[in-house]
Amino acid sequence: DVKVTQSSRYLVKRTGEKVFLECVQDMDHENMFWYRQDPGLGLRLIYFSYDVKMKEKGDIPEGYSVSREKKERFSLILESASTNQTSMYLCASSLRGGYTEAFFGQGTRLTVV
Amino acid sequence: RKEVEQDPGPFNVPEGATVAFNCTYSNSASQSFFWYRQDCRKEPKLLMSVYSSGNEDGRFTAQLNRASQYISLLIRDSKLSDSATYLCVVNLSSASKIIFGSGTRLSIRP
Protein backbone atom coordinates (compact mmCIF):
# COMPACT_ATOMS: atom_id res chain seq x y z
CA ASP A 1 0.00 0.00 0.00
CA VAL A 2 1.40 3.36 -1.02
CA LYS A 3 2.22 5.73 1.77
CA VAL A 4 2.92 9.43 2.14
CA THR A 5 3.35 10.43 5.75
CA GLN A 6 3.38 13.94 7.16
CA SER A 7 5.01 14.37 10.53
CA SER A 8 2.12 16.13 12.28
CA ARG A 9 -1.66 16.34 11.85
CA TYR A 10 -1.97 19.53 13.89
CA LEU A 11 0.57 22.21 14.79
CA VAL A 12 0.28 25.47 16.67
CA LYS A 13 3.19 27.90 16.35
CA ARG A 14 3.86 31.48 17.35
CA THR A 15 4.43 34.34 14.95
CA GLY A 16 8.10 34.60 14.04
CA GLU A 17 8.95 30.98 14.80
CA LYS A 18 10.79 28.85 12.26
CA VAL A 19 8.56 25.92 11.37
CA PHE A 20 9.48 22.63 9.74
CA LEU A 21 6.89 20.41 8.07
CA GLU A 22 8.20 16.99 7.15
CA CYS A 23 6.96 14.58 4.51
CA VAL A 24 8.17 11.07 3.80
CA GLN A 25 7.09 8.73 1.01
CA ASP A 26 7.91 5.05 0.65
CA MET A 27 7.12 4.61 -3.04
CA ASP A 28 10.51 5.65 -4.49
CA HIS A 29 8.79 8.55 -6.28
CA GLU A 30 10.93 11.14 -8.02
CA ASN A 31 8.48 14.02 -7.69
CA MET A 32 7.32 15.55 -4.44
CA PHE A 33 5.04 18.53 -3.86
CA TRP A 34 3.91 20.88 -1.15
CA TYR A 35 0.48 22.51 -1.42
CA ARG A 36 -1.54 24.65 0.89
CA GLN A 37 -5.31 24.52 0.90
CA ASP A 38 -7.55 27.36 2.00
CA PRO A 39 -11.34 27.70 1.78
CA GLY A 40 -12.39 29.01 -1.60
CA LEU A 41 -8.85 28.92 -2.98
CA GLY A 42 -8.36 25.18 -3.47
CA LEU A 43 -4.91 23.61 -3.50
CA ARG A 44 -2.12 26.00 -4.37
CA LEU A 45 1.34 24.74 -5.21
CA ILE A 46 4.09 26.15 -2.99
CA TYR A 47 7.15 24.22 -4.15
CA PHE A 48 7.91 20.98 -5.87
CA SER A 49 10.95 18.81 -6.40
CA TYR A 50 11.66 16.40 -9.23
CA ASP A 51 14.87 14.96 -7.82
CA VAL A 52 17.12 15.00 -4.80
CA LYS A 53 18.46 18.50 -4.11
CA MET A 54 16.32 19.90 -6.94
CA LYS A 55 13.47 22.31 -6.27
CA GLU A 56 11.17 24.51 -8.25
CA LYS A 57 8.93 27.34 -7.12
CA GLY A 58 5.24 26.83 -7.44
CA ASP A 59 2.61 29.53 -7.52
CA ILE A 60 3.01 30.86 -3.98
CA PRO A 61 6.60 30.32 -2.75
CA GLU A 62 6.95 33.57 -0.81
CA GLY A 63 7.67 33.00 2.85
CA TYR A 64 8.57 29.35 2.33
CA SER A 65 11.62 27.30 1.49
CA VAL A 66 12.12 23.57 0.96
CA SER A 67 14.75 20.93 1.37
CA ARG A 68 15.18 17.59 -0.36
CA GLU A 69 18.35 15.90 0.82
CA LYS A 70 17.03 12.36 0.35
CA LYS A 71 14.68 11.00 -2.26
CA GLU A 72 12.03 9.94 0.21
CA ARG A 73 11.90 13.13 2.27
CA PHE A 74 10.69 16.62 1.35
CA SER A 75 10.63 19.33 3.99
CA LEU A 76 8.73 22.61 3.93
CA ILE A 77 10.22 25.42 6.00
CA LEU A 78 8.48 28.56 7.15
CA GLU A 79 11.41 30.84 7.90
CA SER A 80 9.40 33.20 10.11
CA ALA A 81 5.83 32.06 10.56
CA SER A 82 3.08 34.62 10.11
CA THR A 83 -0.65 34.45 10.81
CA ASN A 84 -1.44 34.44 7.09
CA GLN A 85 0.35 31.11 6.85
CA THR A 86 -2.33 29.48 8.95
CA SER A 87 -3.61 26.80 6.61
CA MET A 88 -3.84 23.12 5.73
CA TYR A 89 -0.58 21.90 4.22
CA LEU A 90 -0.62 18.86 1.98
CA CYS A 91 2.38 16.91 0.74
CA ALA A 92 2.15 14.70 -2.34
CA SER A 93 4.42 12.51 -4.41
CA SER A 94 4.34 11.01 -7.88
CA LEU A 95 6.47 9.13 -10.34
CA ARG A 96 8.29 11.15 -12.95
CA GLY A 97 6.44 11.36 -16.24
CA GLY A 98 3.29 12.72 -17.68
CA TYR A 99 0.79 10.02 -16.95
CA THR A 100 1.08 9.50 -13.26
CA GLU A 101 -1.22 10.40 -10.40
CA ALA A 102 -0.21 12.08 -7.17
CA PHE A 103 -0.57 10.45 -3.77
CA PHE A 104 -1.20 12.62 -0.74
CA GLY A 105 -0.29 12.64 2.89
CA GLN A 106 -3.01 13.18 5.46
CA GLY A 107 -2.28 16.89 5.76
CA THR A 108 -0.97 19.17 8.51
CA ARG A 109 -3.26 21.82 9.88
CA LEU A 110 -0.97 24.65 10.96
CA THR A 111 -2.20 27.49 13.13
CA VAL A 112 0.06 30.48 13.66
CA VAL A 113 -0.90 32.62 16.63
CA ARG B 1 -5.75 33.38 -15.85
CA LYS B 2 -5.60 30.30 -13.61
CA GLU B 3 -3.98 27.25 -15.13
CA VAL B 4 -6.93 25.05 -14.16
CA GLU B 5 -10.40 26.50 -13.65
CA GLN B 6 -13.49 24.91 -12.20
CA ASP B 7 -16.93 26.09 -11.21
CA PRO B 8 -16.70 26.16 -7.39
CA GLY B 9 -20.34 25.30 -6.88
CA PRO B 10 -21.78 24.32 -4.54
CA PHE B 11 -23.99 21.94 -6.45
CA ASN B 12 -26.92 20.80 -4.35
CA VAL B 13 -28.85 18.02 -6.08
CA PRO B 14 -31.34 15.33 -5.01
CA GLU B 15 -30.35 11.71 -4.68
CA GLY B 16 -30.63 9.91 -8.00
CA ALA B 17 -29.92 13.00 -10.09
CA THR B 18 -27.28 13.25 -12.78
CA VAL B 19 -24.71 15.97 -12.25
CA ALA B 20 -21.89 17.22 -14.47
CA PHE B 21 -18.74 19.16 -13.62
CA ASN B 22 -16.56 21.01 -16.06
CA CYS B 23 -12.97 22.08 -15.98
CA THR B 24 -10.78 24.05 -18.38
CA TYR B 25 -7.00 24.19 -18.52
CA SER B 26 -4.77 26.78 -20.11
CA ASN B 27 -1.57 24.91 -21.00
CA SER B 28 -1.95 23.04 -24.27
CA ALA B 29 1.16 20.98 -23.42
CA SER B 30 -0.65 19.30 -20.51
CA GLN B 31 -0.20 15.57 -20.77
CA SER B 32 -2.54 13.85 -18.42
CA PHE B 33 -5.71 14.61 -16.55
CA PHE B 34 -7.44 13.32 -13.47
CA TRP B 35 -10.42 13.80 -11.24
CA TYR B 36 -9.80 13.62 -7.51
CA ARG B 37 -12.31 13.46 -4.71
CA GLN B 38 -11.79 15.15 -1.37
CA ASP B 39 -13.96 14.50 1.65
CA CYS B 40 -14.23 17.03 4.44
CA ARG B 41 -11.01 17.22 6.49
CA LYS B 42 -9.37 14.48 4.43
CA GLU B 43 -6.68 14.43 1.78
CA PRO B 44 -7.59 14.28 -1.94
CA LYS B 45 -7.75 10.81 -3.45
CA LEU B 46 -7.77 9.75 -7.06
CA LEU B 47 -11.26 9.17 -8.43
CA MET B 48 -10.34 8.44 -12.03
CA SER B 49 -7.94 9.27 -14.80
CA VAL B 50 -9.26 10.99 -17.92
CA TYR B 51 -8.35 9.63 -21.32
CA SER B 52 -8.82 11.17 -24.75
CA SER B 53 -11.38 8.60 -25.73
CA GLY B 54 -13.37 9.16 -22.57
CA ASN B 55 -13.70 6.57 -19.88
CA GLU B 56 -16.32 5.20 -17.57
CA ASP B 57 -16.17 3.66 -14.12
CA GLY B 58 -19.57 2.57 -12.90
CA ARG B 59 -21.71 5.67 -12.45
CA PHE B 60 -18.82 8.00 -13.30
CA THR B 61 -17.86 9.11 -16.81
CA ALA B 62 -14.91 11.36 -17.62
CA GLN B 63 -14.32 13.10 -20.94
CA LEU B 64 -11.39 15.04 -22.35
CA ASN B 65 -11.53 17.49 -25.24
CA ARG B 66 -7.97 18.51 -26.09
CA ALA B 67 -9.01 20.90 -28.84
CA SER B 68 -11.12 22.93 -26.41
CA GLN B 69 -8.84 22.19 -23.42
CA TYR B 70 -11.81 20.99 -21.47
CA ILE B 71 -12.44 18.09 -19.07
CA SER B 72 -15.73 16.90 -17.69
CA LEU B 73 -17.03 14.52 -15.05
CA LEU B 74 -20.53 13.08 -15.13
CA ILE B 75 -22.08 11.34 -12.14
CA ARG B 76 -25.23 9.35 -12.81
CA ASP B 77 -27.75 8.15 -10.22
CA SER B 78 -26.04 10.16 -7.50
CA LYS B 79 -25.82 8.76 -3.98
CA LEU B 80 -25.61 10.53 -0.63
CA SER B 81 -22.05 9.20 -0.35
CA ASP B 82 -21.06 11.16 -3.47
CA SER B 83 -21.17 14.38 -1.42
CA ALA B 84 -17.61 15.72 -1.54
CA THR B 85 -15.40 18.20 -3.32
CA TYR B 86 -14.26 17.15 -6.79
CA LEU B 87 -10.90 18.41 -7.99
CA CYS B 88 -9.80 18.64 -11.59
CA VAL B 89 -6.09 17.88 -11.95
CA VAL B 90 -3.64 18.45 -14.79
CA ASN B 91 -0.16 16.96 -15.07
CA LEU B 92 2.32 19.21 -16.88
CA SER B 93 4.88 16.54 -17.36
CA SER B 94 7.34 18.83 -19.13
CA ALA B 95 7.61 20.82 -15.92
CA SER B 96 7.00 17.92 -13.53
CA LYS B 97 4.13 19.95 -12.15
CA ILE B 98 0.74 18.70 -11.05
CA ILE B 99 -1.82 21.49 -10.91
CA PHE B 100 -5.15 21.32 -9.13
CA GLY B 101 -8.31 23.24 -9.79
CA SER B 102 -9.93 24.89 -6.80
CA GLY B 103 -12.57 22.17 -6.63
CA THR B 104 -16.31 21.87 -7.07
CA ARG B 105 -18.35 21.15 -3.98
CA LEU B 106 -21.20 18.65 -4.42
CA SER B 107 -23.91 18.04 -1.89
CA ILE B 108 -26.48 15.29 -2.44
CA ARG B 109 -29.72 15.65 -0.52
CA PRO B 110 -32.13 12.80 0.32
Side-chain angles (χ1 to χ4, degrees), chain B residues 46-68:
Chain B
L46 179 69
L47 177 67
M48 59 197 302
S49 303
V50 187
Y51 303 118
S52 295
S53 53
N55 48 300
E56 191 172 307
D57 182 3
R59 298 181 292 109
F60 298 83
T61 301
Q63 294 275 356
L64 167 64
N65 184 322
R66 282 191 183 272
S68 302

Side-chain angles (χ1 to χ4, degrees), chain A residues 60-101:
Chain A
I60 51 163
E62 297 79 19
Y64 303 94
S65 61
V66 290
S67 173
R68 187 137 181 231
E69 296 297 316
K70 292 185 177 182
K71 191 176 185 180
E72 66 270 19
R73 186 179 296 269
F74 192 36
S75 304
L76 180 69
I77 304 152
L78 285 67
E79 297 291 343
S80 177
S82 63
T83 54
N84 63 12
Q85 292 178 310
T86 291
S87 187
M88 169 68 86
Y89 290 87
L90 288 155
C91 174
S93 72
S94 75
L95 288 168
R96 185 173 296 151
Y99 300 94
T100 58
E101 65 180 281

